[in-house]
């Protein structure tokens, strides 16, 4: 299963996949060709049109999604609907024929300003198109806090879910931010949780879990 890990401070990257020593031992070296990622959809209240910028590196081995308005907040100046924001990314990851991949780690970064008594939550889940969604992984925050934050979700090697061989299945990432005033006074204070960016890097071998697809007749 995917395990949550959380820390505050330095920025993080969203690692699109993660390397499995067992897979390497079974199937040898990863495919030598470049891996291409197409971002096919960016939807949600946390990333409305024009507020999310998707950039793919020139060598097609990394991507970055930058948000300019992904903020959940409660208190002075906030609307009731601002307490929860979400965003869904739909990714088409192209891999060389004969191989498939699993997603084993996802990292996020942002900023939190929570009044004493207020709480925040960052959560995410992941699934391939047409397959069952995973459970949401939750990362709670408690005020008082005024700092950058970083969270990570990782998957045990024996629980990796691979993309179906020979089929085009978009990989979906659902994220959500929530803020609750708790015992703080929302008539006098404002608490917020913001997502700065989601970065993906699939260039480093350590970040992949590769598996060869069975040959016809096997």
């Amino acid at each position: 299963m995917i395990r949550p890990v959380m820390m505050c401070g330095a920025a993080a990257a969203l690692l699109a996949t993660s390397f499995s020593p067992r897979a390497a031992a079974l199937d040898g070296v990863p495919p030598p060709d470049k891996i291409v990622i197409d971002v096919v959809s960016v939807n949600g209240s946390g990333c409305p049109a024009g507020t999310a910028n998707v950039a793919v590196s020139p060598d097609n081995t990394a991507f970055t999604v930058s948000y300019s308005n992904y903020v959940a907040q409660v208190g002075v100046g906030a609307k009731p609907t601002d307490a929860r924001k979400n965003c869904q990314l739909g990714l088409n990851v192209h891999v060389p024929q004969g191989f498939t991949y699993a997603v084993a780690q996802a990292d996020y970064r942002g900023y939190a300003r929570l009044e004493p008594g207020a709480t925040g939550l960052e959560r995410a889940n992941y699934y391939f198109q047409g397959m069952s969604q995973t459970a949401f992984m939750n990362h709670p925050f408690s005020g008082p806090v005024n700092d950058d934050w970083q969270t990570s979700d990782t998957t045990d090697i024996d629980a990796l879910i691979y993309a179906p061989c020979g089929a085009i299945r978009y990989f979906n990432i659902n994220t959500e931010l929530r803020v609750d005033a708790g015992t703080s006074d929302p008539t006098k204070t404002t608490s917020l949780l913001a997502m700065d960016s989601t970065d993906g890097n699939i260039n480093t071998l350590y970040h992949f879990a590769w598996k060869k697809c069975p040959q016809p007749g096997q």
Side-chain angles (χ1 to χ4, degrees):
M1 64 178 291
I2 294 181
R3 307 188 305 271
V5 180
M6 183 177 68
M7 65 184 70
C8 289
L14 185 150
L15 307 177
T17 49
S18 184
F19 174 73
S20 162
R22 186 189 335 185
L26 290 174
D27 297 320
V29 298
D33 297 333
K34 295 176 182 177
I35 310 304
V36 178
I37 300 177
D38 292 332
V39 181
V40 295
S41 64
V42 181
N43 299 301
S45 59
C47 51
T51 65
N53 180 51
V54 179
V56 179
S57 65
D59 59 3
N60 291 321
T61 59
F63 70 91
T64 301
V65 182
S66 299
Y67 308 99
S68 62
N69 194 30
Y70 198 167
V71 182
Q73 57 184 332
V74 294
V76 179
K79 301 186 296 293
T81 54
D82 291 339
R84 175 187 176 275
K85 298 291 184 178
N86 75 293
C87 185
Q88 176 171 311
L89 301 178
L91 308 178
N92 188 6
V93 181
H94 304 271
V95 297
Q97 186 174 3
F99 288 86
T100 185
Y101 72 98
V103 175
Q105 182 168 326
D107 300 331
Y108 306 92
R109 65 169 179 259
Y111 170 73
R113 189 181 74 220
L114 300 175
E115 294 292 321
T119 60
L121 178 70
E122 181 271 321
R123 65 201 306 248
N125 77 340
Y126 317 86
Y127 65 97
F128 288 105
Q129 180 184 17
M131 300 175 68
S132 298
Q133 297 189 27
T134 64
F136 272 94
M137 302 309 304
N138 298 316
H139 301 278
F141 302 84
S142 298
V145 62
N146 185 11
D147 198 2
D148 295 331
W149 58 264
Q150 170 183 327
T151 63
S152 297
D153 300 336
T154 59
T155 306
D156 294 329
I157 293 175
D158 59 359
L160 292 174
I161 299 175
Y162 288 86
C165 288
I168 298 176
R169 299 286 181 90
Y170 295 154
F171 180 67
N172 296 298
I173 303 172
N174 294 319
T175 59
E176 185 177 322
L177 298 179
R178 295 185 182 183
V179 178
D180 191 294
T183 59
S184 67
D185 187 350
T187 66
K188 298 179 180 179
T189 63
T190 301
S191 294
L192 64 86
L193 191 64
M195 182 89 77
D196 292 335
S197 66
T198 302
D199 301 336
N201 189 328
I202 58 170
N203 188 43
T204 306
L205 180 65
Y206 181 75
H207 299 147
F208 284 94
W210 290 109
K211 186 168 69 173
K212 287 185 177 180
C213 293
Q215 297 297 317
Q218 291 184 345

